[in-house]
Amino acid sequence: KTITTNAGNNNETYPHRHKRKKQPQKKNRQKSPVYVTIPQRLDQNTSGLFAISTKKPFAGYFAKLLRNKTTHQLQQPNEAINDSSTDRTVTAAIHKTYRCLVCVCPKQLPSWEASSDDENAFRYPSTSTTNATTMAEELDILRNYASQESIITHFLEPSIRAPKTFSTHQGNSSWAECQLRIKNVGKDAYPIRGSVAGNRFAEQLWERSDGIPNNCVAVVEIEVELLTGRTHQIRGQLSTMGYPIVGDVLYGGANVKVFNDDEDRTDYTGYTDSETLALQCFELSFLDPDYSMNEKKGKVVSTPSDRWNTFRLDSAWWTGFMDDYKNHVVDEDNPNEATTSEVDTEKVKRINRMTSSGHNEQLDDPKRIRQEDDDDSSNGTKITINTDILPPRVELSPGKQKYIVVRATPPSTPEGDSNDSKPLLFVKSASPESCGGPYHADVAEELVTKLVDAGYDTVVMGGGRIDFNEYVPHAHVYGFSYGFGKGNHRLVADFIEEWSGGDIVATYSNDAGLY
């Protein structure tokens, strides 16, 4: 700025720095930060509902509900908890229900093969139990839990390491009691092996083909009410029961990632963390708080009201994949890829009823030979066997076909009296065209019918597939049956060779990935 002044008679003009007068500055009124906190948590890679609090009184109230939930639950007798008429506030003022997709994994049972030093090992198989449970049996266990609304209890070993140890028995007083209840089991199970739709569904769920657990044959959606709140509780309890959650590396729901030599081994995520878990908190209910001022302490106090807040999610991240599976699943019109269906399940049940009752319900006049026996006070009759109508011990259809193995035993005859009283083994593989359908039940139906009509008590011991080349000849035994479980492939292969007199070379594979 240029300033002009009078100095004597001379006028001078010179530049001058002007200092402005300081203006009073307005104080910056910074807004107080917004209070946000999460008074609960979800496990890593778990999805679903959780509460976010913007007020301290509510955060404290909600955290107290969670703390008291476990205490109140364990103080209540099971009778009161199982009573549907009991007021929900009796046990807790907060309820969390989870939706999850679990693996259906048939369990291996004690072997039913005879000892190798028995000269009749192949001719007369042992009468012990079948080789493995079936998908239907595993689903029935889950559905029984749901229908009975029973409380499932395990004990958690105290440890800071994962995976946690859950047991049906309490190691000592430091083991924490864990309780949950299975509320619902989906109507449909989803086979993941043996069809294009199943293979695609599995890759969508596990995100990598090598992540699928070896013994998992299907998945099913269930709903679980969490009654106590322990670390990894749902994951650990379901795994201990034999139903690990899809994607859970820690608890058996996914295989550990295996690195190739050219991969970066500094990324150990695959070894320590799970894939995306098929576990979602889909329903959250809690009592709304009433607030009041504690004059003495000078703070807001919150207490439960009688007003319930309920929040619910209608779908999970895997719901769309399930819908896609239903739209593309291959049905019985495509027999080469048919796995199981309601039709198959009903046939299996009918066959099991036939084998347990000894009566062919499809025939009005069964061909079993019955003789009057005045000494039999139970039903006035006794059943004798008719060996003339026995089917061949081994029947193999060319190509890759489904097979079943059946044990037939004369009824009410002590074992060991004679060879005629020994149980017999029957193996049959058949094409869909020759047996009238694409399922293992179709292969079994005719064979079981003939054995029942001949007077034998029969049990379907399992199944799989036999790839039979009649020109070599060679038979390869592998796979499993959704309806009857996995057969004892080694015994079946040995039996085929024994009864062919060595004319057929038989091999087997127990690879869990084959169907």
Side-chain angles (χ1 to χ4, degrees):
K1 184 177 180 179
T2 301
I3 304 295
T4 302
T5 60
N6 291 327
N9 294 326
N10 299 325
N11 292 333
E12 296 183 12
T13 301
Y14 61 91
H16 180 75
R17 253 181 214 176
H18 176 66
K19 292 184 180 180
R20 292 184 177 181
K21 186 177 180 182
K22 261 187 178 182
Q23 299 292 332
Q25 293 183 352
K26 293 182 180 180
K27 293 183 178 179
N28 292 331
R29 294 183 179 178
Q30 295 182 350
K31 294 182 179 180
S32 300
V34 177
Y35 179 86
V36 178
T37 189
I38 302 174
Q40 70 172 107
R41 64 174 180 79
L42 291 175
D43 283 351
Q44 184 180 13
N45 295 334
T46 302
S47 57
L49 296 168
F50 62 94
I52 297 177
S53 175
T54 58
K55 301 292 183 181
K56 285 185 178 181
F58 179 79
Y61 169 78
F62 198 88
K64 187 176 181 180
L65 292 185
L66 293 173
R67 288 196 303 271
N68 291 342
K69 175 180 174 65
T70 298
T71 303
H72 290 169
Q73 171 67 26
L74 297 178
Q75 289 176 347
Q76 297 299 317
N78 288 348
E79 293 79 6
I81 300 170
N82 286 324
D83 186 356
S84 59
S85 63
T86 303
D87 187 351
R88 298 182 82 192
T89 60
V90 169
T91 55
I94 183 170
H95 298 272
K96 297 164 69 176
T97 309
Y98 287 75
R99 175 189 290 126
C100 50
L101 206 60
V102 298
C103 301
V104 180
C105 306
K107 300 176 182 64
Q108 290 299 308
L109 299 175
S111 175
W112 52 273
E113 61 186 271
S115 60
S116 58
D117 57 351
D118 184 355
E119 63 181 272
N120 291 321
F122 309 127
R123 190 179 302 272
Y124 307 115
S126 167
T127 57
S128 61
T129 186
T130 54
N131 194 45
T133 60
T134 67
M135 183 183 75
E137 289 171 337
E138 294 297 334
L139 291 173
D140 285 344
I141 294 173
L142 283 174
R143 294 194 170 106
N144 286 337
Y145 280 123
S147 63
Q148 296 171 6
E149 297 186 351
S150 55
I151 293 175
I152 301 169
T153 301
H154 291 87
F155 296 92
L156 171 61
E157 181 183 19
S159 172
I160 61 173
R161 297 188 176 185
K164 307 291 185 180
T165 298
F166 292 81
S167 174
T168 54
H169 302 286
Q170 189 172 21
N172 54 54
S173 59
S174 67
W175 289 47
E177 188 172 354
C178 308
Q179 293 184 354
L180 58 76
R181 180 162 36 208
I182 296 177
K183 302 273 288 184
N184 185 48
V185 178
K187 177 183 176 182
D188 298 318
Y190 299 84
I192 59 170
R193 301 189 190 275
S195 69
V196 173
N199 293 338
R200 180 174 60 248
F201 185 39
E203 291 184 2
Q204 290 170 329
L205 293 177
W206 278 275
E207 301 175 356
R208 52 188 177 88
S209 59
D210 60 345
I212 307 170
N214 294 334
N215 57 343
C216 178
V217 301
V219 297
V220 65
E221 187 175 81
I222 67 174
E223 295 177 4
V224 176
E225 182 182 5
L226 190 60
L227 301 178
T228 56
R230 311 294 190 188
T231 302
H232 293 184
Q233 181 180 328
I234 295 179
R235 298 163 62 184
Q237 283 196 260
L238 290 178
S239 176
T240 302
M241 295 166 60
Y243 304 95
I245 294 173
V246 168
D248 197 347
V249 170
L250 288 177
Y251 293 96
N255 287 333
V256 175
K257 181 179 179 181
V258 178
F259 291 98
N260 297 324
D261 292 337
D262 57 349
E263 288 186 280
D264 182 8
R265 294 175 180 267
T266 60
D267 177 15
Y268 295 102
T269 304
Y271 289 102
T272 57
D273 296 334
S274 294
E275 308 289 349
T276 302
L277 297 179
L279 176 62
Q280 179 198 64
C281 179
F282 80 98
E283 185 173 274
L284 177 62
S285 300
F286 59 91
L287 288 174
D288 212 30
D290 282 335
Y291 297 104
S292 60
M293 177 61 71
N294 186 322
E295 300 294 344
K296 187 176 181 180
K297 295 184 177 181
K299 64 178 184 179
V300 176
V301 177
S302 55
T303 55
S305 67
D306 58 357
R307 304 181 304 275
W308 280 97
N309 288 317
T310 300
F311 305 91
R312 184 182 177 92
L313 297 174
D314 294 330
S315 62
W317 62 262
W318 59 86
T319 304
F321 299 146
M322 289 168 47
D323 294 338
D324 181 65
Y325 179 95
K326 291 178 181 178
N327 292 333
H328 295 88
V329 67
V330 182
D331 58 23
E332 57 185 315
D333 292 332
N334 298 274
N336 291 332
E337 292 188 353
T339 53
T340 187
S341 67
E342 290 186 16
V343 174
D344 179 43
T345 302
E346 288 305 314
K347 286 183 179 180
V348 170
K349 290 180 179 178
R350 185 170 68 246
I351 291 171
N352 289 337
R353 288 196 300 268
M354 191 190 311
T355 58
S356 62
S357 66
H359 176 68
N360 180 0
E361 57 187 53
Q362 288 188 318
L363 297 176
D364 294 331
D365 183 20
K367 297 178 182 178
R368 304 182 107 192
I369 298 176
R370 297 178 180 270
Q371 296 179 343
E372 295 298 329
D373 186 359
D374 296 335
D375 296 332
D376 189 348
S377 59
S378 61
N379 56 14
T381 63
K382 69 177 182 179
I383 302 173
T384 60
I385 59 175
N386 182 2
T387 57
D388 293 336
I389 61 173
L390 277 180
R393 301 291 295 279
V394 176
E395 293 182 82
L396 301 180
S397 292
K400 296 180 180 179
Q401 311 296 350
K402 293 176 180 176
Y403 93 87
I404 51 97
V405 53
V406 176
R407 186 189 68 221
T409 308
S412 305
T413 303
E415 294 182 24
D417 294 345
S418 67
N419 283 345
D420 290 339
S421 67
K422 295 287 187 179
L424 304 177
L425 195 68
F426 293 83
V427 175
K428 179 179 179 178
S429 72
S431 66
E433 295 77 17
S434 64
C435 67
Y439 302 116
H440 284 91
D442 297 306
V443 181
E445 193 166 34
E446 182 183 7
L447 176 58
V448 169
T449 299
K450 289 180 179 179
L451 292 172
V452 169
D453 292 343
Y456 283 83
D457 293 333
T458 62
V459 177
V460 180
M461 308 299 293
R465 292 189 186 244
I466 294 179
D467 185 0
F468 178 50
N469 186 333
E470 59 183 328
Y471 300 107
V472 173
H474 172 255
H476 184 64
V477 188
Y478 65 97
F480 64 94
S481 165
Y482 277 103
F484 298 113
K486 185 177 182 179
N488 189 318
H489 300 331
R490 184 176 75 83
L491 178 64
V492 170
D494 290 343
F495 183 70
I496 291 172
E497 286 194 348
E498 167 75 10
W499 278 89
S500 69
D503 292 338
I504 300 176
V505 176
T507 57
Y508 71 95
S509 171
N510 284 317
D511 189 334
L514 298 176
Y515 172 71

